[in-house]
Amino acid sequence: MAARFPDNEDTEEYAPTLQNIVDQHSLKWIFVGGKGGVGKTTCSCSLAILLASVRPSVLLISTDPAHNISDAFDQKFTKYPTKVKGYDNLAAMEIDPDLVDQDRIVNEDLDGDDSGIKGLAKELLEELAGSVPGIDEAKSFVEVITLVNAMDFSTVIFDTAPTGHTLRFLSMPNLFVKGIEKFGKLKGQFGSVFSQLLPMIGISTGDEPTSLIDRLKDSAPAVKQINKEFQDADKTTFICVCIPEFLSLYETERLVQELAKLNIDVHNIVVNQLLRPEKTPDGSIKCSMCAARHKIQSKYLDQIHDLYDDFHIVECPLLKEEVRGVKKIKNFSRLLLGSTEQ
């Protein structure tokens, strides 16, 4: 959890809004994540619009394979930054890397032949797949970071994939550096065979092992710097999005704990899709189904406040319409700042 403040501190430290994010101009990297289907994309797009009004330039990146920011803004985005309609300082892009399936390479392409060169190839590829975790994601990570740094956006917001993928992405700087070391060891161990097998893991046949490793090493300082920034609470923070249900709460707690292990700041939670049922003059809820769901949500909302009493907890209602298009995203963004108007 975020660091606790003494009991006599001003309770405004934990105001139920994301105004603290808007006001913290030192932030460079902002991640928005949580369980699938809780409204991460809506929140990240809304936050991007909020920050575009107070930052020189903002980039929104989707790292979720099921890209939704194009649907949210009702505008097609690609792997290159494209300006959001109506904004000169807000761009968006969707990372859609050509991922290599290591299990398929090892288990299908070379399956059933453990002799000769193929047997050695299988052994090496198994070693690569196991020793350099997320090699495909590492390539994507370096591509993204290199591009983003070159464009010099003042703030970068990541609309992330569900929790597991996101945690791997955030651990990529360490994995990348370890991967460089492992490649060097494997090259020395397997010699000339190494260069023949590189195409099988998605690396061009024109790449010589030594020059490849040298290029990876050249990237290491930049990756280490990014890792340092990710662990700096002045430059990086993570915003959790959840709904008031058991599985989502469980996933949020897991995410918070894992982020703590990675030394990544997290002190904001958006609780989305809260029911605001209509009531009769005597105070009872009109709809029995709504009453049942409201009771369940109230239970988990109370638990969220108990668990994260040192977080900014933003409560957003379940809306009657989908949040699509800039106008509706703008309206939703006001909810992140504590507005009760829908």
Side-chain angles (χ1 to χ4, degrees):
M1 293 186 188
R4 295 183 180 277
F5 292 87
D7 291 340
N8 61 354
E9 286 284 339
D10 188 348
T11 56
E12 280 301 306
E13 290 286 352
Y14 313 117
T17 81
L18 293 188
Q19 187 65 50
N20 68 97
I21 299 294
V22 176
D23 292 340
Q24 190 177 345
H25 288 264
S26 64
L27 284 174
K28 171 70 182 282
W29 313 99
I30 301 173
F31 294 87
V32 180
K35 191 176 183 297
V38 298
K40 298 186 299 292
T41 297
T42 300
C43 290
S44 61
C45 292
S46 298
L47 181 61
I49 280 182
L50 287 174
L51 293 180
S53 66
V54 294
R55 300 286 200 279
S57 58
V58 178
L59 175 64
L60 173 62
I61 301 178
S62 170
T63 61
D64 189 341
H67 300 303
N68 292 315
I69 61 175
S70 289
D71 294 328
F73 279 111
D74 199 17
Q75 174 185 347
K76 180 61 180 175
F77 296 109
T78 66
K79 62 181 180 180
Y80 303 106
T82 303
K83 286 184 179 180
V84 175
K85 292 177 181 177
Y87 290 86
D88 291 327
N89 66 333
L90 173 58
M93 61 188 288
E94 297 177 333
I95 303 301
D96 192 14
D98 238 340
L99 299 183
V100 179
D101 189 337
Q102 301 297 337
D103 289 336
R104 182 187 62 78
I105 289 173
V106 172
N107 296 325
E108 293 181 15
D109 291 1
L110 300 173
D111 196 38
D113 189 346
D114 292 324
S115 61
I117 187 66
K118 282 194 174 182
L120 182 60
K122 183 174 180 180
E123 180 183 346
L124 176 55
L125 290 180
E126 286 174 343
E127 179 76 3
L128 280 171
S131 303
V132 190
I135 186 171
D136 48 2
E137 294 157 307
K139 287 162 61 182
S140 303
F141 173 84
V142 173
E143 177 186 342
V144 171
I145 296 305
T146 301
L147 177 64
V148 170
N149 276 342
M151 293 186 173
D152 198 29
F153 284 91
S154 57
T155 306
V156 181
I157 301 170
F158 289 89
D159 175 40
T160 69
T163 306
H165 179 97
T166 299
L167 291 172
R168 286 196 302 275
F169 184 84
L170 290 171
S171 64
M172 209 49 62
N174 285 329
L175 292 178
F176 182 82
V177 174
K178 290 178 182 177
I180 294 173
E181 297 172 355
K182 196 64 180 181
F183 266 117
K185 291 179 182 178
L186 288 172
K187 191 262 179 180
Q189 181 179 353
F190 290 95
S192 61
V193 177
F194 188 79
S195 60
Q196 300 176 34
L197 300 178
L198 289 177
M200 297 182 183
I201 58 170
I203 298 172
S204 170
T205 54
D207 287 324
E208 290 296 328
T210 301
S211 63
L212 169 68
I213 294 169
D214 286 342
R215 290 206 313 276
L216 291 174
K217 286 181 178 178
D218 289 342
S219 301
V223 174
K224 288 179 179 178
Q225 177 61 31
I226 293 300
N227 191 36
K228 182 178 178 182
E229 291 187 6
F230 279 5
Q231 296 179 3
D232 184 348
D234 288 332
K235 294 186 176 181
T236 303
T237 194
F238 197 106
I239 299 171
C240 297
V241 183
C242 68
I243 57 177
E245 295 180 2
F246 172 77
L247 289 178
S248 184
L249 174 55
Y250 177 84
E251 191 90 339
T252 300
E253 176 60 13
R254 174 192 167 211
L255 181 56
V256 169
Q257 296 295 336
E258 291 299 322
L259 289 170
K261 292 177 184 178
L262 293 171
N263 294 318
I264 295 176
D265 175 73
V266 53
H267 61 275
N268 288 274
I269 294 178
V270 176
V271 186
N272 200 17
Q273 301 178 21
L274 284 164
L275 282 172
R276 295 286 188 258
E278 292 185 45
K279 295 184 178 181
T280 61
D282 65 0
S284 60
I285 297 174
K286 292 181 179 181
C287 164
S288 60
M289 175 66 76
C290 296
R293 295 298 302 167
H294 184 259
K295 183 177 180 181
I296 293 172
Q297 288 195 345
S298 296
K299 170 187 172 183
Y300 290 112
L301 183 59
D302 287 342
Q303 289 185 20
I304 290 169
H305 280 280
D306 288 341
L307 278 170
Y308 307 108
D309 60 345
D310 52 355
F311 279 57
H312 298 270
I313 299 175
V314 185
E315 299 180 12
C316 294
L318 180 66
L319 302 178
K320 296 178 180 179
E321 299 179 335
E322 291 182 309
V323 182
R324 291 194 65 191
V326 172
K327 183 178 179 180
K328 290 184 178 179
I329 291 174
K330 278 184 177 179
N331 290 337
F332 188 90
S333 70
R334 298 188 186 101
L335 299 175
L336 298 180
L337 297 184
S339 173
T340 57
E341 296 182 10
Q342 299 181 27

